[in-house]
Amino acid sequence: MADAQRRAVENNRRRLREQGLDRFEVRGLESDKALLRAVAKRLARNDEAGARLRADIEARVSPSPDQRGGILRAFRQSPLVGADLELDRETTAGRDVDL
């Protein structure tokens, strides 16, 4: 990278930091790229709509750690509830192995 281009990139990143913005890389599906960019732009505006979006995403993606019973709740919502599955296994003595 040429010196002028490197300085331009450094200056741009410095200005972004001064505005409270940061650069980061995420991995995702190619089909989600436009969606993720739109979400990032909305959050970067740091306005009321961004705050609502941030709160909604946080509520959906990362439930609070003090919330108990999440696994039990998931099992109770399973489509297999009431399916009368037979989950008992036959107990055997095993088999003889020649060593």
Side-chain angles (χ1 to χ4, degrees):
M1 184 181 315
D3 286 340
Q5 187 177 8
R6 183 183 49 76
R7 281 193 310 272
V9 169
E10 288 175 0
N11 287 336
N12 182 44
R13 291 180 180 174
R14 179 185 45 78
R15 283 191 298 274
L16 288 174
R17 278 192 306 272
E18 289 172 356
Q19 294 173 14
L21 299 174
D22 199 2
R23 292 179 48 89
F24 50 91
E25 182 177 328
V26 296
R27 294 184 195 166
L29 299 174
E30 180 73 26
S31 59
D32 291 336
K33 187 185 291 189
L35 173 64
L36 291 172
R37 284 182 174 167
V39 169
K41 285 179 184 178
R42 175 73 57 91
L43 293 175
R45 285 192 289 192
N46 207 19
D47 57 1
E48 185 177 327
R52 284 194 309 268
L53 178 61
R54 185 177 292 109
D56 190 32
I57 290 172
E58 285 178 354
R60 291 176 184 266
V61 173
S62 57
S64 63
D66 59 290
Q67 189 177 23
R68 300 183 70 177
I71 293 175
L72 180 60
R73 187 172 34 261
F75 282 135
R76 286 183 176 162
Q77 294 173 352
S78 168
L80 296 176
V81 169
D84 295 328
L85 298 176
E86 183 62 41
L87 300 175
D88 294 328
R89 292 179 54 174
E90 180 181 329
T91 306
T92 62
R95 59 183 180 195
D96 294 331
V97 177
D98 292 330
L99 296 177

